[in-house]
Amino acid sequence: MGKHEGKKKNKNKNKNDADKVAEAAAPEERSSGGYAKELARLQEEVAHLQAWVKKTGARIVIVFEGRDAAGKGGVIRRLTERVSPRVFRVTALPAPTDREKSQIYMQRYIQHLPAAGEVVIFDRSWYNRPGVERVMGFCSEDSARRFLELAPRFEAAMVESGIVLLKYFLDVSEKEQERRFRQRIADPLRQWKLSPMDVESYRRWWDYTRAYNEMIRMTDTEYAPWWIVPSDDKKRARINCISHILASIPYERVKFIEPDLGKRQKRPNDFADDDHIRRTVPDVF
């Protein structure tokens, strides 16, 4: 084999290797591009939903429950990032205070239910009781079972009052949950997501499985059903869940009336620039 022939062969080999790399990367790139395009389309629809909610005075409650690290926060963030927080309110309650512990259990949640023209999203909800509280021993077994009996009645009252109630449970496999937990441990930007309760949920996988299975079985009703969102693929889960929310609410597009900006006022003849020294953030970028 001549010198030039060998170089040509190596060049062709390198080109073929590069083509293989490009082909392997292409599906992921197409997938990412398709995801971004579909998400943008759905977020535009969520904006139309917002306009309808404001015009009609609709009241909507969306409950997000699920396994730890299943991606609830990611779905909520994509659902709300292009709309007003005054219309789409996210409620993520901390541990109850001593005063709240002395109240009727549902009392701390009732005060967060929507008024006319509001969508309230519960990032975990009253279902803390048959979930984490039950598994971790923060409530008695009798209290948990009593909750499971009463919750459908509470939700029936909500629906009968005119509230649209949607309940989603994000599910993730053992293998994928562990991968996400280890990713959080290794990444300083994600370490804040790993709480002691997350670690316990990892150790008590089957305790939580039993608790969640009974919770869903006893509180899945025709008027307030549970919708399961398989979430090993986060992007797919986000698209599927937001699509289902939009399909579940009978909203209509509201015509946008363009405002007339009018004319900006002219600078007054007696206006003088302020000579006070102002502190300006220095450029670093």
Side-chain angles (χ1 to χ4, degrees):
M1 182 185 295
K3 181 178 180 181
H4 294 292
E5 187 179 350
K7 286 184 177 179
K8 184 177 180 180
K9 186 174 182 180
N10 287 336
K11 184 177 180 181
N12 289 336
K13 181 178 182 300
N14 291 337
K15 183 177 184 298
N16 290 336
D17 290 344
D19 288 343
K20 289 179 181 178
V21 171
E23 289 173 4
E28 183 177 349
E29 291 171 2
R30 286 197 297 269
S31 176
S32 296
Y35 165 75
K37 184 177 180 179
E38 181 63 9
L39 179 62
R41 185 189 72 80
L42 290 174
Q43 289 179 330
E44 182 176 326
E45 284 301 317
V46 174
H48 288 302
L49 170 62
Q50 174 179 247
W52 176 82
V53 168
K54 290 173 65 177
K55 180 180 179 179
T56 63
R59 294 174 295 152
I60 300 171
V61 171
I62 306 175
V63 169
F64 283 99
E65 292 288 341
R67 296 277 191 182
D68 288 311
K72 294 181 294 296
V75 175
I76 293 170
R77 187 160 59 252
R78 272 68 179 187
L79 176 62
T80 60
E81 66 183 350
R82 304 304 295 272
V83 288
S84 170
R86 290 184 294 274
V87 178
F88 280 73
R89 292 194 290 109
V90 179
T91 299
L93 299 185
T97 64
D98 289 339
R99 180 177 183 276
E100 288 172 331
K101 289 177 182 178
S102 70
Q103 296 174 342
I104 297 173
Y105 180 72
M106 292 296 189
Q107 189 171 340
R108 68 193 299 249
Y109 295 99
I110 290 173
Q111 62 183 317
H112 294 282
L113 294 180
E118 292 181 342
V119 179
V120 174
I121 297 168
F122 283 96
D123 183 358
R124 295 203 179 278
S125 64
W126 43 91
Y127 284 102
N128 271 339
R129 172 132 296 180
V132 63
E133 289 187 17
R134 184 184 195 182
V135 173
M136 298 302 299
F138 298 151
C139 72
S140 68
E141 183 65 17
D142 287 343
S143 295
R145 295 203 64 81
R146 182 63 174 158
F147 169 90
L148 292 172
E149 294 170 359
L150 294 177
R153 299 187 213 171
F154 170 66
E155 292 172 356
M158 290 172 57
V159 173
E160 288 168 6
S161 75
I163 291 176
V164 175
L165 174 59
L166 299 173
K167 302 188 302 189
Y168 294 97
F169 187 92
L170 277 70
D171 203 7
V172 67
S173 65
E174 286 183 85
K175 182 178 179 181
E176 178 60 16
Q177 186 192 59
E178 180 171 351
R179 187 192 70 79
R180 293 178 187 178
F181 279 166
R182 295 195 182 282
Q183 187 181 43
R184 291 179 181 184
I185 292 171
D187 185 355
L189 296 178
R190 291 186 171 95
Q191 288 169 357
W192 65 271
K193 293 184 175 183
L194 195 63
S195 70
M197 290 296 100
D198 291 331
V199 175
E200 283 300 319
S201 73
Y202 173 81
R203 294 171 180 169
R204 303 187 186 205
W205 173 272
W206 291 108
D207 289 341
Y208 273 97
T209 299
R210 290 193 185 94
Y212 286 143
N213 284 346
E214 185 174 17
M215 177 190 85
I216 292 170
R217 184 174 64 253
M218 293 188 66
T219 59
D220 181 50
T221 60
E222 288 297 322
Y223 51 84
W226 278 108
W227 293 97
I228 309 303
V229 185
S231 301
D232 276 12
D233 183 328
K234 285 184 177 182
K235 290 182 177 179
R236 180 175 295 176
R238 293 165 189 164
I239 296 298
N240 289 342
C241 192
I242 295 173
S243 296
H244 189 272
I245 290 169
L246 291 167
S248 300
I249 301 171
Y251 72 98
E252 297 176 354
R253 290 195 175 190
V254 176
K255 184 178 179 181
F256 177 70
I257 301 175
E258 296 184 9
D260 180 8
L261 293 179
K263 293 183 179 180
R264 194 189 295 273
Q265 65 179 159
K266 294 181 179 179
R267 174 174 174 145
N269 293 330
D270 62 347
F271 181 83
D273 290 331
D274 192 346
D275 59 1
H276 177 74
I277 299 175
R278 300 186 180 184
R279 298 168 180 83
T280 302
V281 173
D283 287 335
V284 296
F285 182 75

